[in-house]
Amino acid sequence: MEQQLHDEDTAPSSPSKNIEQSHELVDSKLEKEQPETKDNQRAILLAPILESFPFFAGLSFLFGVLFTFCLYKNPCSITYPIFTGISCLLGIFICQKLHIPMKKGSWFLLTTALLVGISTCRTADSFIIFINGIALLLLGFIFSLHQFYEDKTWNIGKYLSSIFLQFIYAVESITLPFRHLKQYLKTQDNKIIRQLPVLFVGFLAALPILALLTTLLGEADIIFSDLMTHIFYDFLQPVTLFDLCFRTIFGALALYCLVCSCCLHKISQENADRRKGNPLLVITGLSMIAIIYILFCSIQVIYLFLRRGSLPEEYTFSSYARQGFFQLLLVAFLNLTIVLCCLKYVRPQKVLQMILTIICFCTYIMIASACYRLMMYVREYHLSYLRFLALWFLTVLAILMAGVTWLIWHQQFPLFSYSLVVVSICYVALALARPDSVIAWDYVNHLDKNEVSPKDLYYLNSLSADAAPAFSFLFHTQEKDHELFTNLADYYYTQHTWSEYRTLGIRNYNFSFAQAKKLFPRH
């Protein structure tokens, strides 16, 4: 048996071995009389990466170069969806190399990521651009977990904790790329190392000739001269070079470490049943809450929706409707949290399920009440960014509550997958809709074109370049001698263009900024 184990350890591994075979090998060895050490287990799990080190190192370096080229001082251009699309392809190639089949849910994640990337180059809204970056990062972690683990039984809490652990384990793997590089160079009999001085001398010898040829060609063609001047002054400065190199190395290490942490398979796939709480205790407390909710919701239906009954003398129905929106929003969110916690930590019981269903039904009435109150604001004061996001959040919350309500009576319902699909679709719709554009058009359509005030113009001017079409439409309905309006229109584009997008080129082309520049061409 000892000789057999020695032969298994020393035999060269085939590059076609995948991660599942590595895991089976680890499990079989652990069952033997002489279990492997922790370091040997890690070596076995990482063997597929080490055996194909040039492939994974090359893909990681390519990712780092793309990360730098596409996103360096360029947070929302046409290169963003290009970077997102190529990153999705790299994820597919890595899974194929490790012989991990693509799961159905993974294609949805990749499609969502691509749509988020496309929405980024169509907007100038800094908030949406920031959230898009976070969304892509989360989608990347979810994709890796979904591909490398059996996550069918995972709930929302399990997935959130796994995302956090995956990040920690990826950071923990920071030394692995350097160790793998060292081991790979040892297997090459130092041929590459011996060639490095020759390559360096050749590089130094070519510098004087390169400088002479660049000078001569620059004098021969003014366009080439401008290009070389731009490259030398904008990219070959020491600070810029350090920044570019740091970003490239960071991107390469991030991808390589993430792949290594996935192969190590440190996260437990089991989702322990934590439903051990006493249902009688919870039923007692929730019954009192349910009674209060029923009373409150009855008042909403009678006084707010049906407008029956009498209000206090100092209140009108419009002022009554505008009161308490944020409180209702908070209570609805707390109800969602309470129901999920009860389903996770309390033993199932019919009476408890009925009470939770009543709370969900009351939550729907609260959401409807909050939405009704918010629409009263919108009708009187028009849309604002916060009101637009609040309406979007209420819509998402209502759809999520449907899944939670179904989960109360169907314990095997995949709530996380349902929530991921709902949030992804709703967020992509939000990003593609460009909130500032919707808000601007709503504001312009409710304006009296003959009574446009400076306050109206300054409000539109406070929005991002996504509002340019609505602002331009209002501009063309006014007299050209309107001094205030003309001054705002003259400087609209320049005030709503970040310094990186003053001049639009191939690398930093953004559709929203380009449209604003076309509509306001003075600058």
Side-chain angles (χ1 to χ4, degrees):
M1 180 179 295
E2 293 179 357
Q3 181 64 31
Q4 182 181 0
L5 283 176
H6 177 72
D7 293 339
E8 289 178 354
D9 290 340
T10 57
S13 301
S14 171
S16 62
K17 283 187 177 180
N18 56 27
I19 293 179
E20 294 179 358
Q21 292 174 329
S22 300
H23 292 171
E24 293 175 0
L25 182 60
V26 172
D27 294 337
S28 65
K29 288 190 174 184
L30 290 175
E31 293 174 358
K32 297 183 182 294
E33 297 178 1
Q34 296 180 355
E36 294 290 329
T37 64
K38 184 176 180 180
D39 290 340
N40 288 339
Q41 295 174 26
R42 286 168 57 90
I44 294 172
L45 294 174
L46 293 173
I49 297 179
L50 185 58
E51 292 167 358
S52 302
F53 178 76
F55 174 83
F56 290 102
L59 245 61
S60 298
F61 180 73
L62 175 62
F63 179 82
V65 172
L66 287 171
F67 174 75
T68 303
F69 174 78
C70 294
L71 304 184
Y72 176 69
K73 293 185 178 180
N74 195 28
C76 61
S77 75
I78 191 66
T79 58
Y80 208 100
I82 295 175
F83 170 74
T84 305
I86 297 178
S87 299
C88 293
L89 290 177
L90 293 181
I92 296 173
F93 291 156
I94 290 172
C95 291
Q96 289 178 345
K97 189 66 176 180
L98 296 173
H99 298 277
I100 299 176
M102 292 292 294
K103 300 179 181 179
K104 292 182 180 179
S106 297
W107 295 112
F108 173 80
L109 294 172
L110 296 179
T111 303
T112 302
L114 189 58
L115 291 174
V116 171
I118 292 173
S119 71
T120 304
C121 68
R122 295 183 64 254
T123 184
D125 189 337
S126 57
F127 177 76
I128 293 295
I129 293 169
F130 173 74
I131 298 299
N132 281 358
I134 297 178
L136 290 176
L137 185 63
L138 290 176
L139 287 171
F141 276 107
I142 294 173
F143 173 81
S144 64
L145 290 171
H146 184 62
Q147 280 294 116
F148 284 82
Y149 294 88
E150 289 298 328
D151 58 347
K152 293 182 180 179
T153 61
W154 289 11
N155 53 31
I156 294 178
K158 173 66 175 177
Y159 236 109
L160 292 178
S161 62
S162 298
I163 291 174
F164 176 75
L165 289 175
Q166 187 77 322
F167 173 77
I168 296 298
Y169 293 145
V171 175
E172 190 181 73
S173 305
I174 189 64
T175 60
L176 290 178
F178 305 100
R179 293 181 181 179
H180 290 177
L181 176 61
K182 182 179 179 180
Q183 295 180 40
Y184 176 76
L185 292 178
K186 287 182 178 179
T187 62
Q188 301 304 306
D189 195 23
N190 294 330
K191 292 180 180 179
I192 297 179
I193 296 178
R194 286 200 300 267
Q195 297 299 324
L196 287 178
V198 179
L199 295 175
F200 184 69
V201 171
F203 173 76
L204 292 179
L207 286 180
I209 301 175
L210 181 64
L212 176 62
L213 292 176
T214 301
T215 303
L216 293 175
L217 293 175
E219 294 178 355
D221 190 289
I222 186 62
I223 298 178
F224 179 81
S225 177
D226 291 341
L227 176 62
M228 290 297 102
T229 301
H230 174 69
I231 292 176
F232 279 104
Y233 283 94
D234 291 347
F235 295 101
L236 297 184
Q237 297 292 331
V239 175
T240 304
L241 283 175
F242 175 81
D243 195 4
L244 293 175
C245 292
F246 175 80
R247 290 171 181 267
T248 302
I249 295 173
F250 172 81
L253 291 178
L255 180 61
Y256 196 96
C257 292
L258 179 61
V259 176
C260 289
S261 64
C262 290
C263 292
L264 287 173
H265 225 258
K266 290 186 175 182
I267 300 175
S268 173
Q269 296 188 134
E270 297 181 0
N271 187 21
D273 189 355
R274 302 178 183 275
R275 296 176 297 176
K276 300 179 181 180
N278 188 346
L280 182 60
L281 177 64
V282 178
I283 289 172
T284 304
L286 291 184
S287 298
M288 300 174 62
I289 295 176
I291 293 173
I292 296 297
Y293 281 174
I294 292 173
L295 177 62
F296 178 84
C297 291
S298 300
I299 294 175
Q300 302 304 297
V301 173
I302 295 173
Y303 284 82
L304 186 62
F305 300 144
L306 301 180
R307 296 197 176 185
R308 302 292 178 85
S310 58
L311 296 174
E313 294 182 359
E314 65 274 12
Y315 276 90
T316 63
F317 275 105
S318 59
S319 60
Y320 171 72
R322 289 195 298 270
Q323 184 184 31
F325 164 76
F326 289 104
Q327 291 86 340
L328 286 173
L329 192 63
L330 179 59
V331 172
F333 183 76
L334 289 176
N335 289 347
L336 176 65
T337 305
I338 290 172
V339 174
L340 289 176
C341 289
C342 290
L343 293 175
K344 183 176 181 179
Y345 296 108
V346 182
R347 295 195 301 271
Q349 209 270 350
K350 289 291 183 181
V351 176
L352 176 62
Q353 290 174 304
M354 294 178 62
I355 295 175
L356 292 178
T357 305
I358 292 173
I359 291 177
C360 289
F361 179 75
C362 292
T363 303
Y364 267 109
I365 296 179
M366 293 178 187
I367 293 174
S369 177
C371 188
Y372 187 90
R373 294 164 188 264
L374 183 57
M375 292 306 298
M376 293 290 293
Y377 277 112
V378 172
R379 280 195 294 267
E380 186 168 347
Y381 299 107
H382 311 299
L383 275 175
S384 67
Y385 206 94
L386 183 60
R387 294 165 196 160
F388 186 88
L389 291 180
L391 285 172
W392 176 85
F393 181 77
L394 286 171
T395 303
V396 175
L397 185 60
I399 301 175
L400 292 179
M401 282 302 302
V404 173
T405 305
W406 185 262
L407 180 66
I408 294 174
W409 299 97
H410 302 82
Q411 300 293 319
Q412 301 303 319
F413 178 68
L415 181 63
F416 177 80
S417 299
Y418 171 82
S419 302
L420 179 63
V421 171
V422 169
V423 174
S424 298
I425 293 176
C426 291
Y427 180 75
V428 168
L430 173 69
L432 292 175
R434 303 191 302 169
D436 273 347
S437 178
V438 177
I439 293 168
W441 278 113
D442 175 77
Y443 196 88
V444 169
N445 289 334
H446 286 86
L447 277 180
D448 185 348
K449 303 305 184 296
N450 298 321
E451 297 182 1
V452 178
S453 66
K455 180 181 178 181
D456 299 324
L457 301 179
Y458 280 116
Y459 174 72
L460 291 172
N461 198 43
S462 67
L463 302 175
S464 71
D466 292 352
F471 194 91
S472 176
F473 172 78
L474 186 62
F475 170 70
H476 291 295
T477 62
Q478 303 299 305
E479 296 293 335
K480 295 298 185 293
D481 59 353
H482 194 309
E483 182 178 356
L484 175 62
F485 196 98
T486 304
N487 290 337
L488 288 175
D490 284 346
Y491 293 99
Y492 184 87
Y493 172 71
T494 55
Q495 289 178 352
H496 293 83
T497 306
W498 302 339
S499 60
E500 295 85 356
Y501 298 91
R502 299 292 188 196
T503 303
L504 297 177
I506 296 176
R507 195 179 78 94
N508 69 337
Y509 187 87
N510 176 281
F511 290 95
S512 182
F513 288 131
Q515 187 179 34
K517 185 176 181 180
K518 182 180 179 180
L519 293 172
F520 299 99
R522 288 179 173 84
H523 294 273

